[in-house]
Amino acid sequence: MKHIRALRLTTAALAIGLLATACGGGKQTENTAAGSKKGGRLTIATGPTTGVYYQIGGGIAKLISDNLDGYRATATTTGASVQNIQGLGAGTYDLAFSLLDTAGDAVKGKESFSSPQNLEALTRLYPNYTQVLVRSDAGIDSLKDLKGKRVSTGAPGSGTEVIANRLLKAAGLDPAKDISADRLGLPETVDAMKDGTIDALFWSGGLPSGGITDLTTSLKKDVRFLDVTPQLPALNKEYGDVYQKGSIPGSVYNQSKDVPTIAVPNVLLVKKGFDPDLAAEIVNLVYEKKSDLEKVNAAAAGIELDQAEGVTPVPLNPGAEKALKALAQKS
């Protein structure tokens, strides 16, 4: 694959303290089955190192390790949503971040999934914002103008790739024929934009996403955001109302004005049958110590208790549902 660059291993300085002992990877050990009441190791599937999944996933891992006796949690970098869900099914991961549209496909056994996946949600999280950036000299004013261009559609098995292909189709383009697609992770995508080997990128992430901050800071007016909201009606007609109109405040990436875009909720997933008592403890940690997660990345401020149960069509884990109801009664 062209344009692949060495994976960057740094994250935002704000996150270093909270992530230092929380981020790692690998399959759980044999004696620590997912949700075991005996404690042990838990692996959280996140996303690329320059994305918000990895940072907040590391924050959740540290909360678990510091507060739940007998448990050691680590966050591992992945290609994100599709890969994360596949890893849950294979037993590679214990918890996983995903976009809600991808998780909905998984429980229905459609699109990227050949059969229904046995998933449960612990909670809805903050929203992801579709961030489409183009080189200013590429002559791109709408998604239709991507025809014939070199475009990063996201890493294979990512939620970014899912929504990129859906948006392209909604704009009347065939992702397999009408663009020159590079399936790159965010770090490699940022490098490719900097050296001019691609014309545009898709990224679905929280605000701010470190890789996008890097890009807009480095290239300044040589790169700009594209408004993709004209495709929102077509998306919702085809896939339901999981997609919502959103806005990227200009202050997030030092832009002169806010950027209209499409937002998608994130969810924290487990495999069906995950221990409900452990699920409840994790949910309680997320909401009772949300301020700790906000120190890792400001996107965590979007984790709202009054929206926590909005995970349809993914079923809630019974323990998580009980915990959320109890938290709501307290608030």
Side-chain angles (χ1 to χ4, degrees):
M1 181 188 300
K2 58 183 179 178
H3 315 314
I4 298 299
R5 302 288 189 272
L7 184 65
R8 294 179 183 175
L9 299 178
T10 58
T11 56
L14 186 62
I16 290 175
L18 195 54
L19 297 179
T21 61
C23 296
K27 190 172 181 177
Q28 61 197 23
T29 56
E30 188 174 324
N31 64 345
T32 58
S36 168
K37 294 182 181 179
K38 298 178 182 179
R41 181 179 174 189
L42 296 172
T43 301
I44 305 174
T46 62
T49 56
T50 52
V52 180
Y53 278 3
Y54 184 71
Q55 294 178 8
I56 293 183
I60 292 174
K62 191 172 192 310
L63 291 180
I64 292 171
S65 298
D66 289 351
N67 294 279
L68 300 186
D69 289 343
Y71 285 99
R72 170 74 177 177
T74 55
T76 185
T77 181
T78 70
S81 298
V82 176
Q83 181 184 334
N84 292 354
I85 291 170
Q86 292 169 338
L88 276 182
T92 306
Y93 312 126
D94 302 290
L95 298 92
F97 283 70
S98 175
L99 286 164
L100 182 56
D101 59 346
T102 305
D105 289 345
V107 297
K108 295 174 184 176
K110 58 185 286 189
E111 298 288 338
S112 301
F113 304 93
S114 58
S115 61
Q117 305 296 298
N118 293 319
L119 302 177
E120 294 175 338
L122 297 188
T123 183
R124 179 166 165 164
L125 296 169
Y126 60 92
N128 261 19
Y129 292 82
T130 305
Q131 300 167 57
V132 181
L133 290 95
V134 302
R135 292 188 64 86
S136 299
D137 60 1
I140 302 169
D141 295 314
S142 70
L143 286 180
K144 290 183 179 180
D145 294 333
L146 292 178
K147 187 171 184 177
K149 302 295 185 179
R150 301 162 299 177
V151 183
S152 174
T153 53
S158 67
T160 293
E161 185 176 54
V162 170
I163 194 168
N165 288 334
R166 289 181 176 180
L167 279 168
L168 289 166
K169 291 175 183 176
L173 301 179
D174 183 340
K177 297 178 180 179
D178 291 333
I179 65 168
S180 177
D182 285 341
R183 303 170 73 197
L184 304 176
L186 185 57
E188 298 86 1
T189 295
V190 170
D191 285 342
M193 283 287 280
K194 286 180 179 180
D195 63 28
T197 51
I198 60 172
D199 302 303
L201 71 85
F202 286 84
W203 170 246
S204 181
L207 301 177
S209 291
I212 303 301
T213 299
D214 177 10
L215 184 63
T216 54
T217 301
S218 300
L219 295 188
K220 296 183 171 61
K221 292 184 179 180
D222 289 335
V223 66
R224 57 185 176 81
F225 286 87
L226 203 62
D227 180 0
V228 297
T229 55
Q231 277 66 50
L232 183 58
L235 284 181
N236 283 336
K237 181 178 180 180
E238 181 69 21
Y239 302 106
D241 59 1
V242 67
Y243 298 105
Q244 307 156 357
K245 189 169 184 178
S247 178
I248 302 171
S251 59
V252 172
Y253 296 120
N254 197 27
Q255 301 296 297
S256 61
K257 59 182 179 180
D258 297 350
V259 180
T261 192
I262 293 172
V264 189
N266 290 299
V267 285
L268 185 60
L269 301 174
V270 293
K271 191 173 182 179
K272 188 175 182 181
F274 189 89
D275 176 46
D277 292 331
L278 178 56
E281 289 185 282
I282 293 171
V283 165
N284 284 328
L285 278 178
V286 168
Y287 286 95
E288 290 172 359
K289 296 185 177 293
K290 192 179 86 165
S291 61
D292 289 350
L293 299 179
E294 292 178 35
K295 294 174 184 176
V296 175
N297 191 289
I303 303 174
E304 300 288 354
L305 184 58
D306 61 357
Q307 310 238 349
E309 295 185 59
V311 296
T312 304
V314 183
L316 273 169
N317 173 280
E321 184 175 16
K322 183 177 179 180
L324 289 172
K325 291 187 182 304
L327 286 166
Q329 289 176 351
K330 287 183 189 177
S331 63

